C-alpha cells in the first residue's frame, strides 16, 4: 500500500508528520514524501525541512494520497502542474485525503465540488469559493475523500483512516503506540471554544 | 530565545515536530535542529528525514532544550559525546525538556536522578534504572526539567511550556492556530484505556 505525501515550500510540518506517524504502522504501508524537486523542503519560518525522496513527475500512482496544508498552499491554487498531478493521483487512489489547507488544493483541483469538506477554520471562505460546503467537523468523509480540519486534526483523521484500511483493533494499537491520550492544558482549540483574548491575539499576530 | 532540538538516527519525528509547531509561535523564538552531523536525519523506517542545520559541536548554548525520543534513543544511552553535550546544554538552559524516550537520554546524562519523570509507557523500566521515579502523567515538571509521555504528548507539553514562557493567552492562541481540539475516534491512548486486543496486537507487532 503506497501512501504519498506531497510537500511544497511553506508547508506545515505537523499536517504531514501527524498522520505519517499513524499510517506508518499499517501493515503493508510504504510512505513516500514527494515534491516538485527532490531534496529538503522548508516550512514557515524555514527552521524545519523534510526531505522529498522523489519528484511529482516520478510519482504516478498511489493507494493513499495525503495532502498537507500550510501557508504555502494558497499560492498554489492556480499551479496547474500540481493540480494536474493531484487529479491524476486521485484517479487511481483508494483514499484521497487532506489536512488543514491541504483541502484547498483538493478543492482547486476540482475534487470537492458539490461535496461537504473541512479545512483550517480560517480558510473556510477559500474552500467554499471552489464549490465545497464547509462543515466544522474534525474529520469529514465523502466517499473515498477524507478531509481534516486544521494542523493537529491529521492525527484524528489518520486513526479514522487506519480503522477503515485495517480494522479498529489495529487503529487502537497504533493509538497506544503513539500514546495518543490527549490532555490539552487549555480548551482553546476551536473558534467556538477559544477565549476572545486568544482570538484577538491571533488576529493581531502572536509573534 | 533559542530552542534547540537534537536529532539522531531512528528518532520519532512527531516527538520533535509536535512541540516544534507550538513553540515556533512564541514571541522571540528561534528553533534550531541539530545532530552529530548536519544534513538529513532519518527516522524508522527511514521514510522521513528532517534536516539538521547545525552540529552538536557547533551548538554550545540554548534557552530551551527539547530532546525527542524514538527507537534510536536506546542505542545512545552510553554515547558520551551526546550525553556530555546534553549536560552542557542543560547547564545554561532555562528549560530542559523531553518527549517520549527522549527522557531516557536526560536520565542517562544524570539529569533525572532522584526526580519524578515520565516517558513512553513501554520504557518505564529503563527510565527508572537511572534513578528517576516514573509517574504515569502526560507532562511532568520538576524545576526547569519538563518530561512528556509517549510521542503525541509533546503537543500537550509544549502548550504547558508556552504558557510558562509567555502566558496562558499566548498558549491558547497557539492552540487555536493549530486547531488542537483533539477528538480521537477511539479511546486507546494509554495502557489503562486500551482494549486487551489492541495491547496484544502491539506486543505481537502491528506490521
Amino acid at each position: 500500500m503506497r501512501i504519498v505525501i506531497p510537500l511544497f515550500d511553506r508547508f506545515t510540518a505537523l499536517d504531514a508528520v501527524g498522520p505519517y506517524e499513524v499510517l506508518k504502522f499499517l501493515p503493508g504501508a510504504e510512505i513516500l514524501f514527494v515534491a516538485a524537486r527532490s531534496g529538503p523542503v522548508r516550512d514557515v519560518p524555514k527552521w524545519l525541512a523534510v526531505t522529498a525522496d522523489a519528484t511529482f513527475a516520478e510519482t504516478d500512482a498511489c493507494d493513499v494520497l495525503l495532502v498537507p496544508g500550510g501557508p504555502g498552499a494558497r499560492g498554489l491554487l492556480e499551479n496547474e502542474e500540481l493540480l494536474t498531478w493531484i487529479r491524476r493521483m486521485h484517479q487511481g487512489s483508494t483514499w484521497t485525503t487532506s489536512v488543514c489547507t491541504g483541502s484547498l488544493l483538493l478543492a482547486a483541483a476540482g475534487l470537492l465540488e458539490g461535496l461537504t469538506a473541512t479545512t483550517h477554520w480560517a480558510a473556510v471562505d477559500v474552500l467554499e469559493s471552489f464549490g465545497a460546503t464547509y462543515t466544522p467537523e474534525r474529520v469529514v468523509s465523502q466517499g473515498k475523500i477524507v478531509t481534516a480540519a486544521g494542523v493537529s486534526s491529521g492525527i484524528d483523521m489518520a486513526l479514522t483512516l487506519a480503522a477503515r484500511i485495517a480494522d479498529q483493533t489495529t487503529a487502537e494499537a497504533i493509538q497506544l503506540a503513539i500514546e495518543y491520550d490527549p490532555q490539552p492544558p487549555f480548551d482553546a482549540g476551536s473558534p467556538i471554544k477559544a477565549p476572545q483574548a486568544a482570538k484577538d491575539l491571533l488576529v493581531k499576530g502572536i509573534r
Side-chain angles (χ1 to χ4, degrees), chain A:
Chain A
M1 180 178 48
R2 193 186 212 197
I3 300 168
V4 168
I5 304 179
L7 301 176
F8 46 84
D9 285 342
R10 300 163 51 81
F11 77 113
T12 294
L14 184 53
D15 292 13
V17 172
Y20 169 84
E21 290 290 359
V22 171
L23 300 177
K24 80 177 190 188
F25 284 98
L26 282 174
E30 281 182 81
I31 305 187
L32 182 66
F33 288 93
V34 304
R37 281 174 301 280
S38 57
V41 182
R42 293 266 162 192
D43 78 332
V44 175
K46 298 201 176 201
W47 296 329
L48 187 153
V50 172
T51 301
D53 286 316
T55 65
F56 294 138
E58 290 163 351
T59 310
D60 57 6
C62 67
D63 300 295
V64 178
L65 177 66
L66 193 155
V67 182
R74 290 179 194 237
L76 295 167
L77 300 179
E78 295 180 4
N79 184 313
E80 270 309 317
E81 188 191 340
L82 176 60
L83 301 180
T84 300
W85 179 83
I86 287 174
R87 281 181 215 109
R88 190 168 72 238
M89 299 299 281
H90 174 65
Q91 270 189 341
S93 75
T94 306
W95 298 98
T96 296
T97 71
S98 66
V99 179
C100 197
T101 50
S103 62
L104 304 184
L105 293 167
L106 299 187
L111 307 187
L112 301 184
E113 210 174 322
L115 299 186
T116 299
T118 191
T119 189
H120 190 282
W121 56 266
V124 172
D125 53 340
V126 184
L127 180 74
E128 296 209 317
S129 75
F130 290 105
T133 303
Y134 171 74
T135 178
E137 287 167 41
R138 200 150 168 86
V139 178
V140 177
S141 299
Q142 296 266 283
K144 76 174 188 177
I145 297 179
V146 186
T147 54
V151 191
S152 59
S153 64
I155 301 172
D156 295 330
M157 188 273 282
L159 287 169
T160 303
L161 198 61
R164 290 196 201 153
I165 290 173
D167 54 49
Q168 182 172 332
T169 297
T170 301
E172 288 171 333
I174 296 170
Q175 185 178 358
L176 181 58
I178 64 165
E179 207 162 346
Y180 185 50
D181 180 26
Q183 294 166 30
F186 312 109
D187 190 18
S190 81
I192 293 164
K193 295 176 177 177
Q196 191 60 45
K199 288 195 236 187
D200 291 346
L201 179 59
L202 194 53
V203 169
K204 202 184 95 197
I206 304 175
R207 286 174 63 95

